[in-house]
Amino acid sequence: MSPASVLFAQAATLDAGARALLLHSDDLELARWAVAQVGPGGCVTALHSSHSALERLAGVAGLDVSDAVYPAADAHGPADVVLVDIPKGRSVARAVLWTAGQALRPGGRLYLAGPNARGAKSAISDAVTLFGAAPVLGYKSSRRIAFATRTN
């Protein structure tokens, strides 16, 4: 598992039966972990812009994959949980956060993790603007994970 994915596994909560989205991560171990957490009654969908990443992820049993660049509320929501591997570029990260928020049900949880060098601090700051709060849950290997809840 990548260091960011270890943070997800340590800090994120995925309930049995949950509907979850995995955004911009090509980590097979994280995908397997998410599928195991939600169990057979749940659903995990991975969205990634890379065709090769989607091909790798398609090999994870129980994982749905989508070549949609961003989640669409009608196709991928309402999600109970969204896991965002923070993409490079602040404008891209902002777009991912906004659309992740749209795909979440009210009360749904967003976890975002990534390296500081890729803009984790800025993305967390943007999540605070969008969600009202996004406390940092942990740090590891110059990466951080934060949590936000959709309130409406």
Side-chain angles (χ1 to χ4, degrees), residues 66-120:
S66 174
D67 62 357
V69 177
Y70 299 112
D74 58 339
H76 305 108
D80 299 305
V81 178
V82 175
L83 305 175
V84 173
D85 188 356
I86 299 169
K88 186 175 182 180
R90 191 162 191 185
S91 61
V92 175
R94 283 178 170 169
V96 169
L97 290 173
W98 185 84
T99 54
Q102 296 300 303
L104 279 169
R105 67 168 173 75
R109 300 179 312 272
L110 168 73
Y111 294 93
L112 59 155
N116 295 333
R118 200 182 331 159

Side-chain angles (χ1 to χ4, degrees), residues 7 24 42 46 51-52 57 63 65 83 89 97 100 109 120 144 152:
L7 287 172
H24 294 282
H51 182 69
S52 60
L57 289 167
L63 179 70
V65 296
L83 305 175
L97 290 173
R109 300 179 312 272
R144 58 190 64 226
N152 57 22

Side-chain angles (χ1 to χ4, degrees), residues 29-57:
E29 291 301 315
L30 176 62
R32 287 184 189 106
W33 173 83
V35 169
Q37 295 301 301
V38 302
C43 175
V44 180
T45 303
L47 286 81
H48 205 290
S49 59
S50 165
H51 182 69
S52 60
L54 290 173
E55 283 183 340
R56 284 190 307 278
L57 289 167

